[in-house]
Amino acid sequence: MKILITDKIEDEIIQLFKNAGHAVTYNELDADTLLREVSKFDGLLVRSRTKVVTDVVNMGAKGNLKVIGRAGVGVDNIDVKTASKLGIKVVNAPTGSTVSVAELAFGMMLSAARSIPQADRSMKQGLWEKKTFKGVELSGKTLGIIGVGRIGAELAKRAMAFDMKVVAFDKFVKKSPIPKVSLVSIDKLLKESDYISLHIPFVKEEGPAIREAEFEAMKNGVIIVNCARGGVIDEKALLKYLEGGKVRAACLDVYEAEPPVFKDIVNHPKVICTPHIGASTKEAQIRAGTITAEQMMMVLSGKTPDFWVNKQLMATV
Ligand code: MLT
């Protein structure tokens, strides 16, 4: 069958399709060309650059499109609702980037605790500000993890290896799935954590999980990490509590808008930011691409995929 890949992908992923007898077109198409071309293909594989909007899905459904693969976790760049209505399966790779995102979140915690990026910048300006960069340790501190999925669990393992106490909150989970980590209420987590790391999706209808009220409930000097999705933290509220001194530092890989438009956050001296690179490692990209290609080929050969994002939606429309 015919596969269209419109975002950067490793050769070995293209080869996987070819080895199974599929014809692959790999071209980072612009939005208009994608709209014109998509109906010719049975499968469309994207990462996050390509926006698979309603019109693209509609055009695909008018032609041969049967499956959309997202080589990653979040499917916010795909109109999953329309795909479901039109019988197009959406698959992803939820396990591909787990370790990479957890490692970035952990690296962020260490960077903030010791002001590593700030100290590096200062050195490069020719300064020697030994007294300015007095940090804090991770050892003996409490890490509060919000969202106890795969990434939260990997982060907990790393934190415990650094002698941190880990507590977690997840509104969908009653019993902790992470060994040696107890589930606590959100109030307790906010009150007791020295570090807080978010690992939850952004739900538009619900808005940010961390707003003024949540910042108000936090410990003084808290360090907050968001490598999940922009929008789960209210950026204006974050700025207020950074300026007020309650939040010692914030580490952000994701933003309400990407690239970020609220520059006060990005430029703030107590904020460490990266450009949504949680899954951007060699290993995670190959893993995610491989898993997604396999999932797409399962659909195309009439099998039920393991990571079928719109399974429930398709059953109800
Ligand atoms: C994902 O959802 O896979 C990651 O956040 C990476 C990305 O969207 O680029």
Side-chain angles (χ1 to χ4, degrees):
M1 293 202 196
K2 292 172 82 179
I3 309 293
L4 174 62
I5 303 177
T6 58
D7 286 335
K8 194 151 181 39
I9 201 98
E10 294 69 19
D11 290 343
E12 41 268 72
I13 315 301
I14 297 176
Q15 208 49 52
L16 277 178
F17 283 114
K18 288 188 176 165
N19 290 348
H22 299 288
V24 179
T25 302
Y26 171 34
N27 197 334
E28 292 183 35
L29 300 178
D30 60 42
D32 290 341
T33 320
L34 174 63
L35 196 58
R36 275 200 312 275
E37 294 295 308
V38 67
S39 63
K40 298 176 190 159
F41 294 89
D42 302 279
L44 169 65
L45 173 53
V46 301
R47 288 204 194 271
S48 57
R49 184 200 67 96
T50 303
K51 307 298 171 224
V52 191
V53 295
T54 312
D55 285 353
V56 172
V57 178
N58 279 330
M59 284 305 281
K62 279 189 191 144
N64 298 325
L65 196 66
K66 299 163 189 66
V67 60
I68 302 168
R70 159 73 166 101
V73 185
V75 287
D76 10 19
N77 56 323
I78 300 172
D79 183 349
V80 178
K81 242 190 204 156
T82 304
S84 309
K85 270 191 225 142
L86 299 174
I88 297 172
K89 291 191 172 84
V90 178
V91 295
N92 69 347
T95 55
S97 59
T98 306
V99 167
S100 293
V101 179
E103 286 184 357
L104 180 68
F106 196 70
M108 290 282 214
M109 282 166 52
L110 282 170
S111 301
R114 303 305 302 272
S115 304
I116 297 171
Q118 291 90 340
D120 174 67
R121 271 201 303 274
S122 152
M123 288 286 290
K124 290 193 166 86
Q125 285 164 16
L127 304 171
W128 185 256
E129 298 183 292
K130 205 168 156 66
K131 292 211 178 84
T132 309
F133 299 114
K134 185 168 172 195
V136 287
E137 291 184 343
L138 266 57
S139 176
K141 303 288 166 45
T142 299
L143 166 65
I145 297 180
I146 302 182
V148 291
R150 297 179 182 92
I151 299 170
E154 286 298 323
L155 178 63
K157 268 204 298 204
R158 283 152 184 78
M160 286 187 285
F162 270 63
D163 293 328
M164 296 185 86
K165 176 185 172 193
V166 183
V167 294
F169 167 77
D170 193 312
K171 67 176 175 183
F172 299 110
V173 178
K174 292 262 160 349
K175 196 172 161 282
S176 176
I178 314 177
K180 298 194 195 120
V181 173
S182 45
L183 278 188
V184 295
S185 68
I186 185 70
D187 293 343
K188 193 170 160 66
L189 182 146
L190 296 172
K191 196 167 145 220
E192 294 183 0
S193 300
D194 303 286
Y195 295 77
I196 295 177
S197 191
L198 290 127
H199 299 284
I200 49 174
F202 175 59
V203 182
K204 208 169 165 195
E205 296 71 32
E206 292 173 13
I210 304 293
R211 291 176 267 219
E212 286 208 15
E214 285 73 26
F215 281 115
E216 210 43 65
M218 288 176 198
K219 226 177 181 177
N220 277 330
V222 64
I223 290 176
I224 187 150
V225 179
N226 184 14
C227 294
R229 276 293 178 265
V232 301
I233 298 180
D234 178 339
E235 290 178 356
K236 292 229 165 66
L238 172 60
L239 185 65
K240 176 174 165 190
Y241 287 87
L242 278 164
E243 306 229 293
K246 181 159 207 170
V247 176
R248 180 185 173 92
C251 308
L252 306 175
D253 185 46
V254 289
Y255 307 87
E256 284 174 358
E258 293 186 7
V261 286
F262 187 37
K263 298 286 190 214
D264 289 357
I265 276 289
V266 177
N267 295 331
H268 199 281
K270 292 185 194 164
V271 175
I272 295 172
C273 13
T274 47
H276 199 153
I277 55 167
S280 299
T281 62
K282 195 171 150 193
E283 294 85 352
Q285 297 288 294
I286 291 182
R287 237 182 268 128
T290 305
I291 295 168
T292 309
E294 287 166 355
Q295 297 298 303
M296 290 175 71
M297 288 192 281
M298 285 172 87
V299 173
L300 295 174
S301 60
K303 295 189 188 123
T304 305
D306 306 303
F307 304 128
W308 181 1
V309 175
N310 57 348
K311 186 175 180 180
Q312 269 172 350
L313 258 182
M314 282 179 78
T316 52
V317 289

